[in-house]
Amino acid sequence: MRLNELLKYNDIVIQCHDNPDADALASGYGLWWYFKNNNKKVRLIYRGKNMIRKSNLTIMLDKLNIPVSYEPDFADVPELLVTVDCQYGQRNVTKTPAKHIAIIDHHQIIDDFPEHSEVKNGIGSASTIIWDLLKKEGLDVNDEPLLATALYYGLYTDTNKFSEISHPLDKDMQDELVINRSIIVEMSNSNISLDELKVTGNAILNYEYFSDHKYLIIKSEPCDPNILGVMSDFSLETAGVDVCLSYYISQSEVKFSVRSCIKEVHANELAAFLAKGIGGGGGHIYKAGGTLRPEKLMHLFPLQTDEQYVNFSTNILHERMERYFDTYEIIYAKEMTLDASEMKKYSKTTQELGYVKLDDIFPDNTEITIRTLDGDMDVLIDTTTYLMIGLAGEVYPITENELRNSYKTLDKPFDKTFEYAPSIRNTATGKKKKVMSFAKTAISVGKTKIYAKPLTKKVKLFTALNEERYYTGEIGDYIAFREDDPHDISIIQADLFPILYHEV
Ligand SMILES: [Mn+2]
């Protein structure tokens, strides 16, 4: 959806979810600003039983001039109603009748969409979606410093102080916003009330420890989701604790936060596992979080009473935590080899990839950050380093020698579109360039053969080159090693394998 599609309406109401959080307020504010600039009659409201009381939010309303009003008894029927950070008809947003409905949200899709909607599941905050939509209309929110600060705080609070960010668009916004830092500091230091401090203490007191896999489960009363991160960060410092899950169950959702301090467990992967099919989860290697949706849980189990809902949610988290550690096998490629007798021999199929000469983009010796859908990567530019761009937009550095040995390079541009086009930022100056405009085509000519087989169990692979960070292979993906080097083990995605290799 483009925001300008909504300009055909004149009487517009933007509604946050009940008990609005910083992200709902910030994204609503961004949208309000857009309509105001376009001379529309626009109101920003929230409804429900409770007026905003949390100290960080009252500071936010006051210092950032958020033009929101509390309208528990709202009776007008606007021409257009936009719900932000929530979806019309869901139980966390009081129903407001309107002639037309739009929704802008970053939560799991559960219902049919109204005529106008922008719902992006993998994004860290609704603020990011608004920021992106405003950008597409050619607007720069940095022209309005208080708005920029609000959007930043929306993402900050929705991702546990940025620690649970996983989408590159979130990182782009975090980098590009010019904010009032002292207001952010003030808000984030009024985040916990004295009551919540007690909630934190009580939750930690009642931890459950599972010694077989050294993890801790902490159940809290419903609280600000950020407090879950506080609990698990603190508890992870305990000796003998490698992984920590903290969670609460509220009417509208189950929120959880995951921490890991061992290289064999990536918190983001565990979070995705816990929420698979019943919500969403993600973040970073060490810190991650997620949500389970009651509507999704109900598909698995008919939840009639609140007690059933609470018990079922509790059980499913416990059961998945326990099961997680049995779902995979760990391979340390430096010390291990695979049994070739169960594998078939393949050779690489000729294909077109992209390559980029890095010192075409920034001068020799520049430190850069390459941003892709899979994450950020820091690289120091030198005259012999190239970047390869794979079929799915994945990016990896390669030396000039490797490039010459395995590929035939052409002068032809490599023009492909990906969900998120990789970008390169000069780490020191912040100057950003699009990778694709420098990319040319390379044709693979590799003659090396591999042995490969599809995985029947999930694998965590520490390659010989990267002993610190594992690659995950799901069931159906291929595990392979090079005929000329049995320790050069790799994983190839199920959908890419038939494109990249053919049996010999
Ligand atoms: Mn949100």
Side-chain angles (χ1 to χ4, degrees), residues 21 23-24 85 106-107 124-126 158:
D21 59 6
D23 184 38
D85 198 34
H106 67 122
H107 295 97
S125 69
D158 254 30

Side-chain angles (χ1 to χ4, degrees), residues 423-493:
S423 67
I424 290 191
R425 191 164 47 92
N426 182 325
T427 315
T429 64
K431 195 170 158 58
K432 222 167 115 176
K433 295 190 184 179
K434 288 273 171 217
V435 175
M436 293 311 285
S437 48
F438 296 90
K440 290 177 184 159
T441 305
I443 298 174
S444 58
V445 292
K447 286 168 210 77
T448 8
K449 307 257 188 308
I450 59 161
Y451 285 95
K453 66 168 180 190
L455 289 170
T456 49
K457 186 172 186 179
K458 189 168 159 173
V459 155
K460 297 186 179 187
L461 169 69
F462 292 92
T463 63
L465 284 176
N466 194 345
E467 294 178 78
E468 281 304 312
R469 184 170 174 163
Y470 62 79
Y471 296 88
T472 310
E474 301 291 341
I475 294 169
D477 288 347
Y478 282 74
I479 190 152
F481 69 88
R482 278 170 62 137
E483 187 182 22
D484 57 358
D485 180 2
H487 290 288
D488 189 346
I489 301 175
S490 59
I491 285 164
I492 302 123
Q493 276 180 48

Side-chain angles (χ1 to χ4, degrees), residues 20-211:
D21 59 6
D23 184 38
L25 294 167
S27 51
Y29 181 20
L31 201 55
W32 179 90
W33 180 71
Y34 174 73
F35 289 127
K36 205 76 199 164
N37 277 341
N38 282 284
N39 303 311
K40 300 292 173 184
K41 182 195 171 201
V42 56
R43 289 170 285 177
L44 174 61
I45 66 165
Y46 69 99
R47 305 184 60 191
K49 290 195 198 84
N50 310 309
M51 201 168 163
I52 291 171
R53 274 194 346 221
K54 265 197 90 201
S55 348
N56 62 326
L57 297 181
T58 52
I59 297 170
M60 182 181 181
L61 297 188
D62 179 41
K63 296 275 170 80
L64 301 179
N65 296 336
I66 312 275
V68 75
S69 67
Y70 178 47
E71 304 282 352
D73 305 314
F74 195 76
D76 295 358
V77 179
E79 197 183 354
L80 175 70
L81 179 87
V82 193
T83 64
V84 285
D85 198 34
C86 59
Q87 291 169 32
Y88 190 78
Q90 273 189 320
R91 54 174 161 175
N92 65 340
V93 49
T94 302
K95 201 158 196 164
T96 305
K99 296 194 186 90
H100 301 272
I101 306 288
I103 54 182
I104 298 177
D105 191 18
H106 67 122
H107 295 97
Q108 189 93 8
I109 299 152
I110 48 165
D111 286 319
D112 285 340
F113 292 135
E115 49 182 321
H116 306 291
S117 60
E118 182 81 352
V119 178
K120 285 184 164 174
N121 198 3
I123 308 262
S125 69
S127 300
T128 311
I129 298 177
I130 292 289
W131 173 78
D132 189 44
L133 287 170
L134 289 170
K135 240 171 102 148
K136 285 179 180 148
E137 299 307 323
L139 294 166
D140 184 358
V141 296
N142 287 332
D143 293 341
E144 191 66 45
L146 296 183
L147 174 58
T149 306
L151 294 171
Y152 184 91
Y153 191 60
L155 178 64
Y156 178 88
T157 50
D158 254 30
T159 57
N160 231 317
K161 305 179 182 170
F162 301 135
S163 69
E164 292 166 8
I165 282 186
S166 62
H167 200 282
L169 207 57
D170 293 321
K171 294 179 199 158
D172 284 345
M173 179 171 92
Q174 183 191 354
D175 290 346
E176 288 176 32
L177 289 177
V178 179
I179 56 154
N180 183 321
R181 177 116 2 225
S182 64
I183 300 179
I184 296 283
V185 170
E186 193 182 341
M187 292 186 292
S188 54
N189 283 296
S190 303
N191 192 37
I192 300 185
S193 66
L194 286 167
D195 282 345
E196 285 173 324
L197 189 61
K198 210 172 246 175
V199 166
T200 310
N202 278 333
I204 293 176
L205 269 179
N206 293 307
Y207 70 79
E208 291 176 89
Y209 181 61
F210 298 84
S211 54

Side-chain angles (χ1 to χ4, degrees), residues 187-238:
M187 292 186 292
S188 54
N189 283 296
S190 303
N191 192 37
I192 300 185
S193 66
L194 286 167
D195 282 345
E196 285 173 324
L197 189 61
K198 210 172 246 175
V199 166
T200 310
N202 278 333
I204 293 176
L205 269 179
N206 293 307
Y207 70 79
E208 291 176 89
Y209 181 61
F210 298 84
S211 54
D212 49 348
H213 296 295
K214 297 187 174 176
Y215 64 88
L216 213 56
I217 297 185
I218 293 173
K219 183 180 186 173
S220 169
E221 288 168 47
C223 57
D224 186 295
N226 290 292
I227 295 173
L228 293 178
V230 174
M231 290 172 192
S232 12
D233 278 335
F234 177 67
S235 307
L236 195 67
E237 293 190 18
T238 313

